[in-house]
Amino acid sequence: GQQVQQSPASLVLQEGENAELQCNFSSTATQLQWFYQRPGGSLVSLLYNPSGTKHTGRLTSTTVTKERRSSLHISSSQITDSGTYFCAMERNTGGADRLTFGKGTQLIIQP
Amino acid sequence: DPKIIQKPKYLVAVTGSEKILICEQYLGHNAMYWYRQSAKKPLEFMFSYSYQKLMDNQTASSRFQPQSSKKNHLDLQITALKPDDSATYFCASSQGGNTLYFGEGSRLIVV
């Protein structure tokens, strides 16, 4: 089955530093999303990026489809960025598709 | 205001009992999903519905039955509850398999 590997499992940074999160998947993805979850909270979609580079605010995602990898870059991290970041992929297009999630990267931003 | 409403938010159930988790979405999406998140496993896909029809089913057990009475409703009935069913169950929706939006989750504890 499809597998999604995220690294690192956890990351501790000082406020203001940049964070780099990695995602590798076992098969070519036609859909790739990054999600954020605060402890005990819901998941929020950050970026929908099946290929190329996408930006929103301080977030940049780069997905290289042929190499089956995606990254999420968080610039000038803030304490409120703390939480778990998930990468999720889907191989098929259209319709009601299932996403396969990685185990997440726990990001802790310290003052 | 939340666009995907899940009820109840918290639920404690006795082993062997039956519960229904409610989900309503007001995003006008045609596809709805159930995902499960527990301490033991990463977020995992359970069901997907499109236009009130079952599209995909990952759950092996027939104890989990989705029910769609209206286009924007997808409830989840769980029978013969077991302690291993303890998890947070997330309802989600999308339009045409694009960006996935999650509800706040229903946290189920089976004792």
Side-chain angles (χ1 to χ4, degrees):
Chain A
Q2 301 168 6
Q3 293 185 354
V4 178
Q5 302 292 334
Q6 288 188 246
S7 62
S10 62
L11 183 61
V12 181
L13 296 173
Q14 298 296 315
E15 190 175 16
E17 292 184 313
N18 298 330
E20 189 81 15
L21 283 60
Q22 302 292 337
C23 176
N24 293 276
F25 29 94
S26 60
S27 56
T28 302
T30 53
Q31 188 186 139
L32 193 293
Q33 292 187 48
W34 283 94
F35 292 87
Y36 167 76
Q37 184 179 37
R38 198 175 299 279
S42 182
L43 285 92
V44 176
S45 179
L46 297 173
L47 282 164
Y48 175 85
N49 185 25
S51 66
T53 299
K54 299 279 173 57
H55 304 274
T56 181
R58 295 182 291 106
L59 304 178
T60 300
S61 172
T62 299
T63 299
V64 184
T65 308
K66 290 184 179 179
E67 297 180 13
R68 301 176 184 176
R69 61 178 175 85
S70 180
S71 64
L72 180 67
H73 181 87
I74 306 173
S75 62
S76 303
S77 62
Q78 300 175 2
I79 294 174
T80 52
D81 293 334
S82 297
T84 304
Y85 291 78
F86 293 96
C87 169
M89 62 86 73
E90 167 56 36
R91 199 154 52 103
N92 299 316
T93 57
D97 302 318
R98 64 168 75 178
L99 289 180
T100 301
F101 283 78
K103 293 183 178 180
T105 292
Q106 185 182 18
L107 178 64
I108 299 172
I109 307 298
Q110 296 179 336
Chain B
D1 291 335
K3 300 297 185 182
I4 300 179
I5 297 173
Q6 289 192 241
K7 297 176 184 177
K9 194 169 185 178
Y10 301 98
L11 181 61
V12 179
V14 177
T15 297
S17 66
E18 171 184 317
K19 296 295 178 186
I20 296 179
L21 308 181
I22 306 296
C23 178
E24 306 172 15
Q25 59 95 0
Y26 297 94
L27 294 164
H29 290 164
N30 62 323
M32 296 186 70
Y33 313 77
W34 279 101
Y35 282 81
R36 174 169 54 192
Q37 185 178 43
S38 67
K40 297 178 182 179
K41 297 181 180 180
L43 195 69
E44 56 179 347
F45 169 89
M46 297 181 72
F47 299 98
S48 66
Y49 267 65
S50 180
Y51 295 105
Q52 294 186 264
K53 292 184 179 180
L54 179 66
M55 300 298 291
D56 199 358
N57 176 1
Q58 177 66 21
T59 304
S61 173
S62 60
R63 296 186 299 107
F64 294 84
Q65 290 292 328
Q67 301 170 347
S68 182
S69 59
K70 298 180 184 178
K71 179 184 175 183
N72 66 329
H73 283 229
L74 186 63
D75 301 335
L76 182 64
Q77 180 185 38
I78 314 173
T79 59
L81 279 162
K82 302 177 179 180
D84 277 351
D85 297 332
S86 298
T88 299
Y89 291 82
F90 288 101
C91 176
S93 71
S94 71
Q95 183 63 30
N98 292 318
T99 301
L100 199 62
Y101 294 85
F102 282 85
E104 295 293 315
S106 289
R107 290 157 182 81
L108 171 66
I109 297 175
V110 183
V111 297

